Amino acid sequence: MANEPHDKTPDIAFVNEMRLEARHWLAVIAIVVPMLALTPWLWKKVERFKTGPDYRIPYALSSDYFLYQRRLQSVAESNICVLGDSVVWGEYVRPEGTLTHFLNQQSGVSGRFVNGGVNGLFPLAMEGLVRSYGRALRREKIILHCNLLWMTSPKADLSATKEEQFNHARLVPQFTVPLRCYRADFNERLNALAERNVPFFGWVSHLQDAYFAQKSIPKWTLEDEGDDGAKASNSYRNPLSQITMVVPAEPEMDPQRGPQSPRHRSWSTNATGTTVFEWVPLEKSLQWQAFQRTVSLLRDRQDDVFVVVGPFNEHLMAPANRPVYHLIRDQIGAWLTQRQISHVLPDTLPSLLYADASHPLTAGYEQMAAKLYGNSEFQTWLKRSRSPSR
């Protein structure tokens, strides 16, 4: 008789999965869907979000669109929101040195003008921000800033063919407008659309931006390794301890901004401009087309829009480059006039009041606000009914 092995192990079938039937799936959906829908809403009720007359979204939270949406929802009906990029936000100045601060000072009403600026918010991104996160802006009076900086070159206009990395990529049109410099894959574009349309995903991004230094929790735990390669404190900290339920505020002392900052100085002391911009014609500009769509979107929501164009720093430009700028600015003014959109083309500020091509310094914002508030068309617009007939 043949010898049989003594260590033969009987076959054992292990079952580790549980198969859900239809009623089980219905139970899961009944639990998960309300959680996904209610979590962002409940979070807004619990998390403390302190604002004031000169409040602006902190620089570190420039991509926290969930927070920006909350900010717009908190704006009182009697207030006027000023939308724009870092020119409105105030790149080189403190909150009390911005355009909205000085407009409030001119009006004598604290908080009447609300700073709705976001750093780096070019028109293609502004369109996405207003469309997806600005639904609270209905039947309101809105000041919209038009910064011609975004038309100074094909690269700034995002109409170049070379791949570019830029801020607020999640806000640009993912499929509807062909951006040849934007090379995100299908999955990344789909995730961007999901975040803009599903509040739960926006809330997840808010947690990362506000409490985990714009990183996912796994990435955050791996940050700050020591010089010797040893794991730093984040690896051993409880991530839940980071969530303080208080939206981080702008630092009281910001070395990058304000009159005490080394950045807060004039672009030039001799006002001799030599810069030559490669201006993009309006009919070819993707940024201008996005700005037009944003204006139309706001008017479709019955918002009463007032557009401020610039003022761009002409002193920085070479004299031969200025006629093209004037042509583009005048064409924008003509387009606004044809559509009966209230607007102003402010005069260029004195050279010493600019920090760069488009950002005023504190005194520049003060002068800009005084001229704007004294403008007759602006005063007529201010006194007009908040729900204009169209």
Side-chain angles (χ1 to χ4, degrees):
M1 184 173 65
N3 293 329
E4 295 183 359
H6 298 286
D7 58 347
K8 183 177 181 181
T9 303
D11 293 335
I12 300 177
F14 292 94
V15 179
N16 295 316
E17 64 181 21
M18 180 177 66
R19 300 191 178 187
L20 301 181
E21 298 178 0
R23 69 176 186 275
H24 297 142
W25 279 113
L26 290 175
V28 170
I29 293 173
I31 295 172
V32 173
V33 171
M35 287 182 60
L36 295 179
L38 291 176
T39 297
W41 178 80
L42 290 173
W43 191 267
K44 293 178 183 179
K45 300 292 183 181
V46 178
E47 184 184 50
R48 285 176 288 172
F49 182 26
K50 300 178 182 179
T51 62
D54 289 326
Y55 181 84
R56 59 185 182 182
I57 297 294
Y59 180 85
L61 302 181
S62 296
S63 298
D64 191 342
Y65 312 127
F66 179 87
L67 182 65
Y68 188 83
Q69 185 179 49
R70 284 186 66 183
R71 175 55 173 155
L72 294 185
Q73 291 171 342
S74 70
V75 175
E77 292 184 0
S78 59
N79 293 341
I80 299 172
C81 190
V82 185
L83 301 180
D85 57 13
S86 54
V87 173
V88 172
W89 189 86
E91 172 58 27
Y92 294 89
V93 302
R94 297 287 298 150
E96 62 274 13
T98 59
L99 175 64
T100 49
H101 171 83
F102 290 115
L103 284 174
N104 287 325
Q105 192 176 80
Q106 288 287 326
S107 70
V109 180
S110 178
R112 184 184 185 187
F113 296 91
V114 174
N115 191 331
V118 177
N119 259 279
L121 192 71
F122 48 87
L124 279 160
M126 182 193 293
E127 178 190 5
L129 190 69
V130 171
R131 189 176 301 278
S132 299
Y133 300 96
R135 296 186 180 96
L137 299 176
R138 291 185 180 276
R139 299 182 179 87
E140 302 290 347
K141 296 186 81 67
I142 297 172
I143 298 175
L144 190 61
H145 180 251
C146 180
N147 188 357
L148 273 66
L149 177 71
W150 304 112
M151 306 168 203
T152 53
S153 71
K155 179 178 179 180
D157 186 61
L158 297 186
S159 55
T161 57
K162 182 182 178 181
E163 182 178 6
E164 297 289 346
Q165 300 294 324
F166 49 87
N167 295 326
H168 305 295
R170 289 178 292 166
L171 292 177
V172 302
Q174 300 298 316
F175 298 103
T176 57
V177 177
L179 300 177
R180 291 178 292 176
C181 65
Y182 181 46
R183 305 288 175 80
D185 59 29
F186 181 81
N187 184 60
E188 188 175 349
R189 293 170 187 263
L190 205 60
N191 287 337
L193 289 180
E195 181 179 331
R196 286 158 59 173
N197 292 281
V198 181
F200 181 83
F201 295 138
W203 169 74
V204 171
S205 294
H206 166 65
L207 291 186
Q208 296 175 359
D209 289 337
Y211 302 109
F212 296 97
Q214 295 82 49
K215 301 177 181 69
S216 66
I217 293 178
K219 287 184 178 180
W220 176 83
T221 60
L222 299 176
E223 284 294 314
D224 301 327
E225 291 191 353
D227 295 336
D228 57 354
K231 293 290 185 181
S233 57
N234 280 5
S235 302
Y236 302 97
R237 292 168 64 183
N238 179 6
L240 293 178
S241 66
Q242 289 293 113
I243 304 176
T244 61
M245 301 304 295
V246 179
V247 175
E250 187 171 349
E252 293 186 7
M253 299 298 296
D254 188 346
Q256 299 297 314
R257 295 168 180 86
Q260 305 305 318
S261 167
R263 297 176 68 236
H264 190 277
R265 56 187 177 86
S266 175
W267 71 279
S268 173
T269 57
N270 56 22
T272 302
T274 58
T275 303
V276 176
F277 294 109
E278 190 181 351
W279 292 98
V280 179
L282 284 189
E283 63 272 14
K284 296 182 179 179
S285 171
L286 297 180
Q287 300 284 19
W288 171 240
Q289 293 167 19
F291 188 87
Q292 291 175 304
R293 291 193 298 269
T294 302
V295 172
S296 298
L297 175 61
L298 291 171
R299 299 187 86 194
D300 287 342
R301 293 175 179 174
Q302 295 186 316
D303 292 313
D304 192 3
V305 180
F306 188 96
V307 175
V308 178
V309 183
F312 198 79
N313 182 3
E314 291 189 48
H315 311 285
L316 182 142
M317 286 185 277
N321 199 230
R322 295 174 190 173
V324 182
Y325 160 71
H326 292 155
L327 174 63
I328 292 176
R329 186 191 61 179
D330 292 344
Q331 288 175 333
I332 291 175
W335 184 86
L336 294 168
T337 299
Q338 290 171 1
R339 284 150 185 81
Q340 298 182 335
I341 300 170
S342 300
H343 65 279
V344 63
L345 308 177
D347 294 332
T348 305
L349 297 170
S351 179
L352 293 176
L353 300 186
Y354 285 100
D356 56 21
S358 61
H359 296 92
L361 300 172
T362 300
Y365 281 115
E366 185 173 18
Q367 186 175 125
M368 181 178 172
K371 291 186 175 182
L372 177 59
Y373 203 81
N375 180 272
S376 59
E377 186 167 358
F378 185 70
Q379 284 297 319
T380 300
W381 177 79
L382 282 178
K383 297 172 184 177
R384 196 162 65 196
S385 170
R386 300 183 70 86
S387 299
S389 59
R390 297 185 58 215

